[in-house]
């Protein structure tokens, strides 16, 4: 005899693939489809094109920290996978783009990013382009997202 136990998957984010709706990222890192109306997620989305099962699992593991209110200097709108070399990119509501890289050092990266952006905004408001791919080497690279035209 066998016993089957049905368990409802827990969706943590809406998933897209090449910009088109593709289902949901589960808390176990598996992307799945569900009938329309099954989940009403209003938070950031995940662009999964090119991401391996290991990358999706890592994202699901780190998602509670990444998607928490106040984690980033502005609200997270989307995490996108680039390539094995570039890793993940975070898009923020204020137009800031963050080359995140591998999903390691998440809390530390968020803390340093917030510090760097707060310092930069005290000198020049606006959106930024940040690169955290060399975080392990002690580097947080930050520049204005739009170059200023000066006289």
């Amino acid at each position: 005899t066998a016993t089957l136990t049905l368990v409802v998957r827990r969706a943590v984010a809406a998933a897209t693939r090449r910009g088109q709706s593709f289902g949901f990222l589960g808390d176990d890192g598996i992307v799945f489809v569900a009938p329309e109306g099954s989940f009403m997620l209003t938070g950031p989305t995940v662009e999964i094109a090119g991401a391996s099962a290991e990358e999706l699992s890592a994202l699901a593991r780190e998602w509670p920290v990444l998607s928490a209110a106040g984690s980033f200097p502005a609200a997270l709108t989307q995490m996108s996978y680039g390539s094995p070399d570039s890793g993940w990119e975070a898009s923020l509501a204020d137009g800031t783009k963050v080359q995140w890289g591998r999903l390691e050092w998440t809390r530390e990266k968020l803390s340093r990013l917030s510090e760097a952006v707060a310092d930069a905004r005290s000198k020049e408001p606006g959106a930024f382009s940040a690169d955290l791919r060399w975080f392990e080497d002690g580097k947080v690279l930050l520049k204005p997202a739009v170059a200023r035209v000066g006289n």
Side-chain angles (χ1 to χ4, degrees):
T1 50
T3 302
L4 296 177
T5 304
L6 298 177
V7 178
V8 176
R9 285 192 182 273
R10 186 171 162 259
V12 295
T16 60
R17 188 173 201 176
R18 294 179 188 83
Q20 300 296 315
S21 180
F22 198 75
F24 301 93
L25 175 66
D27 61 355
D28 56 0
I30 295 174
V31 176
F32 64 96
V33 294
E36 188 173 331
S38 297
F39 298 100
M40 301 304 235
L41 300 175
T42 58
T45 60
V46 177
E47 172 58 51
I48 62 165
S52 68
E54 292 81 19
E55 288 290 347
L56 293 171
S57 180
L59 182 61
R61 180 187 67 239
E62 299 297 328
W63 193 252
V65 174
L66 290 168
S67 64
S71 288
F72 283 92
L76 175 66
T77 58
Q78 184 177 56
M79 286 294 286
S80 305
Y81 186 75
S83 70
D85 291 331
S86 64
W88 292 92
E89 179 182 270
S91 298
L92 308 186
D94 68 352
T96 296
K97 298 285 186 185
V98 181
Q99 289 294 322
W100 193 263
R102 292 188 309 268
L103 291 166
E104 300 173 333
W105 305 91
T106 300
R107 290 181 195 278
E108 294 83 355
K109 283 182 176 181
L110 287 168
S111 176
R112 288 287 205 214
L113 177 65
S114 292
E115 290 171 3
V117 169
D119 183 55
R121 283 191 179 145
S122 71
K123 297 172 180 104
E124 183 176 333
F128 293 88
S129 176
D131 194 336
L132 303 177
R133 292 176 292 173
W134 292 277
F135 186 81
E136 298 85 15
D137 297 333
K139 296 178 183 178
V140 174
L141 307 174
L142 191 67
K143 65 179 181 178
V146 178
R148 287 185 7 179
V149 177
N151 292 341

